PDB file of all heavy atoms in Angstrom:
ATOM      1  N   GLN I 122      -6.892  -2.620  -8.872  1.00  0.00           N
ATOM      2  CA  GLN I 122      -8.156  -3.343  -9.025  1.00  0.00           C
ATOM      3  C   GLN I 122      -9.249  -2.828  -8.098  1.00  0.00           C
ATOM      4  O   GLN I 122     -10.426  -2.988  -8.380  1.00  0.00           O
ATOM      5  CB  GLN I 122      -7.936  -4.836  -8.772  1.00  0.00           C
ATOM      6  CG  GLN I 122      -7.071  -5.512  -9.822  1.00  0.00           C
ATOM      7  CD  GLN I 122      -6.928  -6.995  -9.568  1.00  0.00           C
ATOM      8  OE1 GLN I 122      -7.262  -7.484  -8.480  1.00  0.00           O
ATOM      9  NE2 GLN I 122      -6.421  -7.723 -10.537  1.00  0.00           N
ATOM     10  N   GLY I 123      -8.887  -2.245  -6.968  1.00  0.00           N
ATOM     11  CA  GLY I 123      -9.883  -1.814  -6.003  1.00  0.00           C
ATOM     12  C   GLY I 123     -10.247  -2.942  -5.048  1.00  0.00           C
ATOM     13  O   GLY I 123      -9.729  -4.065  -5.149  1.00  0.00           O
ATOM     14  N   PRO I 124     -11.132  -2.691  -4.090  1.00  0.00           N
ATOM     15  CA  PRO I 124     -11.486  -3.710  -3.093  1.00  0.00           C
ATOM     16  C   PRO I 124     -12.285  -4.859  -3.698  1.00  0.00           C
ATOM     17  O   PRO I 124     -12.999  -4.686  -4.680  1.00  0.00           O
ATOM     18  CB  PRO I 124     -12.327  -2.921  -2.080  1.00  0.00           C
ATOM     19  CG  PRO I 124     -12.896  -1.783  -2.870  1.00  0.00           C
ATOM     20  CD  PRO I 124     -11.850  -1.427  -3.883  1.00  0.00           C
ATOM     21  N   ILE I 125     -12.158  -6.033  -3.074  1.00  0.00           N
ATOM     22  CA  ILE I 125     -12.923  -7.195  -3.496  1.00  0.00           C
ATOM     23  C   ILE I 125     -14.109  -7.377  -2.545  1.00  0.00           C
ATOM     24  O   ILE I 125     -14.099  -6.883  -1.414  1.00  0.00           O
ATOM     25  CB  ILE I 125     -12.062  -8.471  -3.514  1.00  0.00           C
ATOM     26  CG1 ILE I 125     -11.534  -8.779  -2.096  1.00  0.00           C
ATOM     27  CG2 ILE I 125     -10.909  -8.337  -4.485  1.00  0.00           C
ATOM     28  CD1 ILE I 125     -10.786 -10.092  -1.998  1.00  0.00           C
ATOM     29  N   TYR I 126     -15.124  -8.076  -3.016  1.00  0.00           N
ATOM     30  CA  TYR I 126     -16.313  -8.349  -2.208  1.00  0.00           C
ATOM     31  C   TYR I 126     -16.577  -9.845  -2.256  1.00  0.00           C
ATOM     32  O   TYR I 126     -16.778 -10.411  -3.336  1.00  0.00           O
ATOM     33  CB  TYR I 126     -17.517  -7.556  -2.730  1.00  0.00           C
ATOM     34  CG  TYR I 126     -17.361  -6.065  -2.586  1.00  0.00           C
ATOM     35  CD1 TYR I 126     -16.724  -5.317  -3.580  1.00  0.00           C
ATOM     36  CD2 TYR I 126     -17.838  -5.400  -1.459  1.00  0.00           C
ATOM     37  CE1 TYR I 126     -16.572  -3.939  -3.444  1.00  0.00           C
ATOM     38  CE2 TYR I 126     -17.695  -4.029  -1.316  1.00  0.00           C
ATOM     39  CZ  TYR I 126     -17.056  -3.307  -2.314  1.00  0.00           C
ATOM     40  OH  TYR I 126     -16.893  -1.952  -2.177  1.00  0.00           O
ATOM     41  N   LEU I 127     -16.570 -10.476  -1.079  1.00  0.00           N
ATOM     42  CA  LEU I 127     -16.736 -11.921  -0.983  1.00  0.00           C
ATOM     43  C   LEU I 127     -17.898 -12.248  -0.058  1.00  0.00           C
ATOM     44  O   LEU I 127     -18.099 -11.587   0.972  1.00  0.00           O
ATOM     45  CB  LEU I 127     -15.460 -12.586  -0.449  1.00  0.00           C
ATOM     46  CG  LEU I 127     -14.168 -12.370  -1.248  1.00  0.00           C
ATOM     47  CD1 LEU I 127     -12.983 -13.008  -0.522  1.00  0.00           C
ATOM     48  CD2 LEU I 127     -14.294 -12.959  -2.644  1.00  0.00           C
ATOM     49  N   THR I 128     -18.637 -13.267  -0.410  1.00  0.00           N
ATOM     50  CA  THR I 128     -19.657 -13.794   0.495  1.00  0.00           C
ATOM     51  C   THR I 128     -18.962 -14.653   1.549  1.00  0.00           C
ATOM     52  O   THR I 128     -17.794 -15.033   1.374  1.00  0.00           O
ATOM     53  CB  THR I 128     -20.666 -14.644  -0.284  1.00  0.00           C
ATOM     54  OG1 THR I 128     -19.988 -15.787  -0.839  1.00  0.00           O
ATOM     55  CG2 THR I 128     -21.308 -13.838  -1.410  1.00  0.00           C
ATOM     56  N   PRO I 129     -19.626 -14.975   2.650  1.00  0.00           N
ATOM     57  CA  PRO I 129     -19.002 -15.854   3.644  1.00  0.00           C
ATOM     58  C   PRO I 129     -18.544 -17.186   3.058  1.00  0.00           C
ATOM     59  O   PRO I 129     -17.484 -17.712   3.466  1.00  0.00           O
ATOM     60  CB  PRO I 129     -20.113 -16.049   4.680  1.00  0.00           C
ATOM     61  CG  PRO I 129     -20.928 -14.804   4.587  1.00  0.00           C
ATOM     62  CD  PRO I 129     -20.909 -14.429   3.139  1.00  0.00           C
ATOM     63  N   ALA I 130     -19.302 -17.736   2.113  1.00  0.00           N
ATOM     64  CA  ALA I 130     -18.904 -19.000   1.491  1.00  0.00           C
ATOM     65  C   ALA I 130     -17.637 -18.819   0.660  1.00  0.00           C
ATOM     66  O   ALA I 130     -16.747 -19.678   0.665  1.00  0.00           O
ATOM     67  CB  ALA I 130     -20.046 -19.540   0.634  1.00  0.00           C
ATOM     68  N   GLU I 131     -17.546 -17.726  -0.068  1.00  0.00           N
ATOM     69  CA  GLU I 131     -16.355 -17.461  -0.879  1.00  0.00           C
ATOM     70  C   GLU I 131     -15.146 -17.167   0.007  1.00  0.00           C
ATOM     71  O   GLU I 131     -14.029 -17.591  -0.289  1.00  0.00           O
ATOM     72  CB  GLU I 131     -16.612 -16.279  -1.805  1.00  0.00           C
ATOM     73  CG  GLU I 131     -17.653 -16.561  -2.888  1.00  0.00           C
ATOM     74  CD  GLU I 131     -18.064 -15.313  -3.642  1.00  0.00           C
ATOM     75  OE1 GLU I 131     -17.882 -14.202  -3.102  1.00  0.00           O
ATOM     76  OE2 GLU I 131     -18.582 -15.452  -4.776  1.00  0.00           O
ATOM     77  N   LEU I 132     -15.374 -16.481   1.094  1.00  0.00           N
ATOM     78  CA  LEU I 132     -14.284 -16.162   2.014  1.00  0.00           C
ATOM     79  C   LEU I 132     -13.696 -17.403   2.655  1.00  0.00           C
ATOM     80  O   LEU I 132     -12.485 -17.465   2.940  1.00  0.00           O
ATOM     81  CB  LEU I 132     -14.798 -15.199   3.095  1.00  0.00           C
ATOM     82  CG  LEU I 132     -13.802 -14.766   4.166  1.00  0.00           C
ATOM     83  CD1 LEU I 132     -12.614 -14.036   3.552  1.00  0.00           C
ATOM     84  CD2 LEU I 132     -14.495 -13.887   5.206  1.00  0.00           C
ATOM     85  N   SER I 133     -14.518 -18.434   2.851  1.00  0.00           N
ATOM     86  CA  SER I 133     -14.044 -19.661   3.501  1.00  0.00           C
ATOM     87  C   SER I 133     -12.984 -20.392   2.677  1.00  0.00           C
ATOM     88  O   SER I 133     -12.244 -21.222   3.213  1.00  0.00           O
ATOM     89  CB  SER I 133     -15.226 -20.605   3.753  1.00  0.00           C
ATOM     90  OG  SER I 133     -15.807 -21.024   2.518  1.00  0.00           O
ATOM     91  N   LEU I 134     -12.880 -20.094   1.367  1.00  0.00           N
ATOM     92  CA  LEU I 134     -11.875 -20.737   0.513  1.00  0.00           C
ATOM     93  C   LEU I 134     -10.466 -20.226   0.806  1.00  0.00           C
ATOM     94  O   LEU I 134      -9.487 -20.856   0.435  1.00  0.00           O
ATOM     95  CB  LEU I 134     -12.209 -20.505  -0.961  1.00  0.00           C
ATOM     96  CG  LEU I 134     -13.573 -21.019  -1.440  1.00  0.00           C
ATOM     97  CD1 LEU I 134     -13.798 -20.619  -2.903  1.00  0.00           C
ATOM     98  CD2 LEU I 134     -13.656 -22.532  -1.281  1.00  0.00           C
ATOM     99  N   TYR I 135     -10.381 -19.094   1.483  1.00  0.00           N
ATOM    100  CA  TYR I 135      -9.082 -18.466   1.747  1.00  0.00           C
ATOM    101  C   TYR I 135      -8.643 -18.701   3.198  1.00  0.00           C
ATOM    102  O   TYR I 135      -8.179 -17.794   3.875  1.00  0.00           O
ATOM    103  CB  TYR I 135      -9.167 -16.966   1.463  1.00  0.00           C
ATOM    104  CG  TYR I 135      -9.482 -16.635   0.034  1.00  0.00           C
ATOM    105  CD1 TYR I 135     -10.803 -16.557  -0.411  1.00  0.00           C
ATOM    106  CD2 TYR I 135      -8.473 -16.398  -0.883  1.00  0.00           C
ATOM    107  CE1 TYR I 135     -11.095 -16.251  -1.736  1.00  0.00           C
ATOM    108  CE2 TYR I 135      -8.752 -16.098  -2.207  1.00  0.00           C
ATOM    109  CZ  TYR I 135     -10.068 -16.028  -2.624  1.00  0.00           C
ATOM    110  OH  TYR I 135     -10.353 -15.730  -3.931  1.00  0.00           O
ATOM    111  N   ASP I 136      -8.795 -19.941   3.655  1.00  0.00           N
ATOM    112  CA  ASP I 136      -8.440 -20.262   5.040  1.00  0.00           C
ATOM    113  C   ASP I 136      -7.036 -20.832   5.182  1.00  0.00           C
ATOM    114  O   ASP I 136      -6.634 -21.248   6.263  1.00  0.00           O
ATOM    115  CB  ASP I 136      -9.455 -21.243   5.622  1.00  0.00           C
ATOM    116  CG  ASP I 136      -9.477 -22.573   4.875  1.00  0.00           C
ATOM    117  OD1 ASP I 136      -8.831 -22.665   3.800  1.00  0.00           O
ATOM    118  OD2 ASP I 136     -10.153 -23.511   5.355  1.00  0.00           O
ATOM    119  N   GLY I 137      -6.270 -20.876   4.104  1.00  0.00           N
ATOM    120  CA  GLY I 137      -4.893 -21.357   4.169  1.00  0.00           C
ATOM    121  C   GLY I 137      -4.705 -22.807   3.803  1.00  0.00           C
ATOM    122  O   GLY I 137      -3.562 -23.271   3.690  1.00  0.00           O
ATOM    123  N   THR I 138      -5.798 -23.540   3.613  1.00  0.00           N
ATOM    124  CA  THR I 138      -5.645 -24.952   3.246  1.00  0.00           C
ATOM    125  C   THR I 138      -5.180 -25.117   1.806  1.00  0.00           C
ATOM    126  O   THR I 138      -4.563 -26.132   1.467  1.00  0.00           O
ATOM    127  CB  THR I 138      -6.987 -25.684   3.440  1.00  0.00           C
ATOM    128  OG1 THR I 138      -8.017 -25.019   2.705  1.00  0.00           O
ATOM    129  CG2 THR I 138      -7.372 -25.714   4.923  1.00  0.00           C
ATOM    130  N   ASN I 139      -5.468 -24.148   0.967  1.00  0.00           N
ATOM    131  CA  ASN I 139      -4.998 -24.157  -0.414  1.00  0.00           C
ATOM    132  C   ASN I 139      -3.754 -23.278  -0.510  1.00  0.00           C
ATOM    133  O   ASN I 139      -3.844 -22.047  -0.386  1.00  0.00           O
ATOM    134  CB  ASN I 139      -6.083 -23.642  -1.358  1.00  0.00           C
ATOM    135  CG  ASN I 139      -5.695 -23.783  -2.824  1.00  0.00           C
ATOM    136  OD1 ASN I 139      -4.542 -24.020  -3.164  1.00  0.00           O
ATOM    137  ND2 ASN I 139      -6.674 -23.640  -3.699  1.00  0.00           N
ATOM    138  N   PRO I 140      -2.573 -23.871  -0.715  1.00  0.00           N
ATOM    139  CA  PRO I 140      -1.340 -23.067  -0.736  1.00  0.00           C
ATOM    140  C   PRO I 140      -1.266 -22.090  -1.903  1.00  0.00           C
ATOM    141  O   PRO I 140      -0.445 -21.171  -1.884  1.00  0.00           O
ATOM    142  CB  PRO I 140      -0.236 -24.123  -0.828  1.00  0.00           C
ATOM    143  CG  PRO I 140      -0.898 -25.317  -1.432  1.00  0.00           C
ATOM    144  CD  PRO I 140      -2.314 -25.305  -0.954  1.00  0.00           C
TER     145      PRO I 140
END
Side-chain angles (χ1 to χ4, degrees):
Q122 293 182 346
I125 62 174
Y126 295 87
L127 301 176
T128 64
E131 293 170 339
L132 179 61
S133 64
L134 301 176
Y135 298 87
D136 62 351
T138 55
N139 187 346

